[in-house]
Amino acid sequence: MAISVEHLRRQYGSFTAVDDMSFEVGGGEIVGLIGPNGAGKTTTLRSLAGILRPTAGHVRIDGYDIVEHAIEAKRRLAFMPDEPHLFEYLTVLEHLRLTARLYAVHDIDHRAKVLLDELELSGKEHALPGELSRGMRQKVVIACGLVREATALLFDEPLTGLDPIGIRKMRETIVARGRAGAAILLSSHLLHLVEEICTRIIIMDGGRIVADGTFAELAAHLEIAAAGSSLEQIFMRVTGRETSAR
Ligand code: ATP
């Protein structure tokens, strides 16, 4: 399995931010990770990426444990964080070339051109981060993640700061990577987008999974008609926010 999470727990001191999470994401699946602020989405993604060490449980990428076989696991995953941190003195193209060297990606100039076209960053190849808008910096972070062919793609809020055209393009990019066989886990508060592109949805609340299934399965479980309902309705119901939202 491309991404396998078993009884993951992550504490910050004595506070448990993520508790007993188990799920899998297979190649070609696009799984949406949603939940209220503080639910534990970023903590989950950072634990999967090997940035935070699990307090308990296991994360495996293509069968490689993220703690015991960190290099093998990390070689197969790309994590795209929501905060676009870049190297101040490297241009856009230099970021891609550096990533390519670190991950032994061949044919970087061709790949970089295709990717920069795809993400509408053409013309910004030689710009430094300080000369880019926030949305553009976000795209550079994503370009660094996509420039190598990772088995598992982890996106934390990939659409924050993007304009409507950027959102549409990023949606197409994510769907295309899924079709090409990547296992994708993405967190987002844009529920209509999650509903549209995700093949499965995991809802978290209070550090735990409170629902996991396709949109139709979640609707059926809650006994609401999938046809006329929205993911927002399901979200409100599952997280118990239904009445306060009205
Ligand atoms: P959001 O939708 O606001 O991005 P989230 O679902 O990504 O939220 P997390 O960032 O994973 O939530 O945070 C989960 C919980 O862990 C929150 O209660 C948060 O305050 C706490 N937390 C996160 N990082 C730390 C930290 N470094 N130290 C202590 N507590 C933390």
Side-chain angles (χ1 to χ4, degrees):
M1 188 55 68
I3 303 174
S4 162
V5 179
E6 263 177 48
H7 303 294
L8 174 68
R9 188 170 85 235
R10 170 65 202 193
Q11 291 177 209
Y12 296 108
S14 59
F15 175 73
T16 303
V18 166
D19 201 13
D20 200 23
M21 280 191 82
S22 296
F23 63 92
E24 292 186 329
V25 184
E29 274 194 284
I30 303 177
V31 176
L33 186 62
I34 63 174
N37 291 134
K41 304 177 297 294
T42 296
T43 303
T44 301
L45 289 170
R46 288 168 67 89
S47 303
L48 262 64
I51 298 166
L52 295 174
R53 197 185 169 100
T55 308
H58 289 280
V59 170
R60 292 188 189 87
I61 307 294
D62 257 354
Y64 292 99
D65 191 283
I66 195 72
V67 177
E68 282 162 31
H69 302 284
I71 304 247
E72 287 302 325
K74 286 181 184 176
R75 193 172 281 160
R76 291 165 171 79
L77 73 82
F79 173 54
M80 284 141 282
D82 58 344
E83 282 299 321
H85 292 303
L86 296 166
F87 295 105
E88 213 176 321
Y89 297 107
L90 292 185
T91 65
V92 171
L93 196 53
E94 284 164 351
H95 273 88
L96 291 172
R97 287 190 178 141
L98 174 67
T99 310
R101 277 173 69 181
L102 291 174
Y103 289 93
V105 177
H106 301 295
D107 202 12
I108 182 59
D109 286 346
H110 173 68
R111 274 175 185 262
K113 189 182 176 327
V114 172
L115 202 51
L116 294 177
D117 277 351
E118 185 180 337
L119 298 178
E120 299 207 306
L121 282 172
S122 300
K124 296 289 178 188
E125 291 85 347
H126 305 294
L128 293 167
E131 298 167 325
L132 299 173
S133 71
R134 192 198 183 281
M136 289 172 187
R137 290 198 300 276
Q138 174 82 2
K139 289 183 193 176
V140 176
V141 168
I142 292 178
C144 288
L146 295 180
V147 78
R148 54 209 184 82
E149 255 138 53
T151 319
L153 301 178
L154 311 172
F155 291 93
D156 197 358
E157 293 282 355
L159 306 157
T160 312
L162 300 190
D163 64 23
I165 304 159
I167 291 180
R168 194 202 296 166
K169 285 258 174 195
M170 194 58 68
R171 199 172 61 191
E172 287 166 8
T173 295
I174 294 169
V175 169
R177 301 297 152 136
R179 289 220 177 97
I184 301 175
L185 183 63
L186 74 92
S187 87
S188 180
H189 289 299
L190 301 179
L191 300 185
H192 60 278
L193 173 105
V194 171
E195 186 178 333
E196 200 183 306
I197 69 168
C198 291
T199 54
R200 211 174 98 217
I201 296 146
I202 295 176
I203 307 180
M204 288 187 79
D205 198 7
R208 287 177 172 266
I209 294 179
V210 290
D212 180 350
T214 62
F215 178 73
E217 284 166 357
L218 297 184
H221 183 69
L222 296 172
E223 295 180 340
I224 48 184
S229 63
S230 67
L231 181 57
E232 189 180 320
Q233 242 179 312
I234 292 174
F235 179 96
M236 296 300 178
R237 179 87 73 90
V238 167
T239 58
R241 266 71 167 178
E242 199 167 33
T243 45
S244 58
R246 274 182 190 151

